Amino acid sequence: MTQSRVLDIGEVAKATGLPASTLRYYEEKDLIRSIGRRGLKRLFDSAVLERLALITLGQQAGFSLDEIGRMFSPDGRPQIDRALLVAKVDDLDRSIRQLSAMRDGLRHAAVCKAPSHMECPTFQRLLRVAGKIRARA
Amino acid sequence: MTQSRVLDIGEVAKATGLPASTLRYYEEKDLIRSIGRRGLKRLFDSAVLERLALITLGQQAGFSLDEIGRMFSPDGRPQIDRALLVAKVDDLDRSIRQLSAMRDGLRHAAVCKAPSHMECPTFQRLLRVAGKIRARA
DNA sequence: ATACAAGTTCAAGTCAACTTGAGGTCAAGA
DNA sequence: TCTTGACCTCAAGTTGACTTGAACTTGTAT
């Protein structure tokens, strides 16, 4: 088991790169919990660092803080609703495919010889794919 | 060359699924252009549909409207700044890798037998990856 | 003992990307 | 001609995710 240290908000901020204001905001939103206070000052268990990594990852994957809250239960560690999780995995998979299409399309566009991108079949295929996506909410 | 029709805002809305208010907003932001008016009413060339597909794709790839505006020049078709484009492709590539990590991690979490996700090595690896990403702005 | 850096609260502000509402215009059909 | 429905403008409101500012408190170092 990793050894569990006590950190103040500044240390957490330094370790994660997140401003203290964000950490307070997350606590208010119940995404993280402080383990107590010394005087006024919040104290965090170093486990919060993993939790924050998870939150950041989720955000980068395009989930809202609310969704993330629901995905990784309000209690300590990520004990997750499986159905929700599977749904999210599917979302992600679709996103990844879209992004890959975009990446390939742009990569191609960067070297394409066609006079205008619109005349390039690769680019047109990209756009057709893009058009279909419409069903994502 | 695809044949170019004239569409009113309602037709564009129907074709793309975007509300008219959004289309007006995009025009104001110079992301699209109407080709004229009939009375008060905007008229669009059907080429705007491709442009909108491109915008939507860009958004799904996580770019802001401003970035998209810069990526695909203010004039008609996407005549793109190559350096910017290459940078964007790199961004995308990183995003895709992150999303893939998240997807795999979540997929695993959905079936994992470990008592808590934090005790699962696969999940821990995911978090380590997530931690490193910090450098994305 | 005192100063001070690092915390704290709470309300308000910001930004992107839209949406909504009020009130107005206009072309086409009955 | 008159009505209607689809469009228009412009200002203000909304949501999510924070940030900022003012005023206050405290543990640690001198």
Side-chain angles (χ1 to χ4, degrees):
Chain A
M1 257 336 96
T2 306
Q3 114 108 324
S4 135
R5 298 179 47 219
V6 172
L7 307 174
D8 71 20
I9 205 173
E11 296 174 302
V12 176
K14 187 152 293 180
T16 60
L18 297 170
S21 61
T22 300
L23 298 173
R24 284 185 214 105
Y25 176 71
Y26 283 179
E27 188 182 21
E28 190 179 301
K29 285 227 133 190
D30 237 349
L31 289 167
I32 59 176
R33 278 214 232 283
S34 50
I35 204 62
R37 300 272 177 140
R38 169 162 53 233
L40 277 187
K41 309 186 178 183
R42 286 165 180 78
L43 297 176
F44 294 94
D45 183 297
S46 55
V48 81
L49 300 181
E50 275 130 41
R51 180 107 181 144
L52 287 166
L54 203 50
I55 291 170
T56 299
L57 186 61
Q59 271 188 301
Q60 279 163 359
F63 300 116
S64 70
L65 294 181
D66 273 17
E67 285 178 311
I68 292 170
R70 267 175 271 126
M71 270 165 99
F72 312 112
S73 77
D75 74 20
R77 61 214 149 301
Q79 153 61 357
I80 303 162
D81 171 336
R82 291 188 190 274
L84 185 53
L85 198 53
V86 167
K88 288 307 174 188
V89 168
D90 288 356
D91 277 10
L92 266 181
D93 215 58
R94 254 185 298 128
S95 297
I96 290 168
R97 258 192 277 282
Q98 288 165 32
L99 262 53
S100 299
M102 176 111 184
R103 178 199 52 198
D104 296 344
L106 292 187
R107 182 130 68 201
H108 176 82
V111 300
C112 183
K113 288 302 181 193
S116 118
H117 293 298
M118 283 317 177
E119 292 168 36
C120 164
T122 298
F123 209 78
Q124 288 184 0
R125 188 164 52 77
L126 170 61
L127 290 183
R128 275 200 305 285
V129 172
K132 285 196 204 128
I133 290 168
R134 186 96 43 217
R136 236 217 134 204
Chain B
M1 248 355 84
T2 305
Q3 117 108 323
S4 137
R5 301 179 46 219
V6 172
L7 307 174
D8 71 19
I9 204 173
E11 296 172 303
V12 176
K14 187 153 291 180
T16 59
L18 296 170
S21 62
T22 300
L23 298 173
R24 283 185 215 107
Y25 176 71
Y26 283 179
E27 189 182 21
E28 190 180 301
K29 285 227 131 188
D30 237 349
L31 290 166
I32 59 176
R33 278 214 232 283
S34 51
I35 205 60
R37 298 273 176 139
R38 169 163 53 232
L40 277 187
K41 309 187 178 182
R42 286 165 180 79
L43 297 176
F44 294 93
D45 184 295
S46 55
V48 82
L49 300 180
E50 275 131 39
R51 180 106 180 142
L52 286 166
L54 203 49
I55 291 169
T56 300
L57 186 61
Q59 271 189 303
Q60 279 163 359
F63 300 117
S64 70
L65 294 181
D66 274 15
E67 285 179 310
I68 291 169
R70 268 176 270 127
M71 270 165 100
F72 313 112
S73 77
D75 75 20
R77 62 214 147 304
Q79 153 61 358
I80 303 163
D81 171 338
R82 293 192 187 271
L84 186 51
L85 198 52
V86 167
K88 288 305 174 190
V89 168
D90 288 355
D91 277 10
L92 266 181
D93 216 58
R94 254 184 300 128
S95 297
I96 290 168
R97 258 194 276 284
Q98 288 165 32
L99 262 53
S100 300
M102 176 108 183
R103 177 199 53 197
D104 296 344
L106 292 186
R107 182 130 67 200
H108 175 83
V111 301
C112 182
K113 287 306 183 191
S116 118
H117 294 299
M118 283 316 177
E119 292 168 37
C120 165
T122 299
F123 209 79
Q124 288 184 0
R125 188 162 53 78
L126 170 61
L127 290 183
R128 275 200 304 285
V129 172
K132 286 197 202 127
I133 292 168
R134 188 93 44 216
R136 237 216 132 205

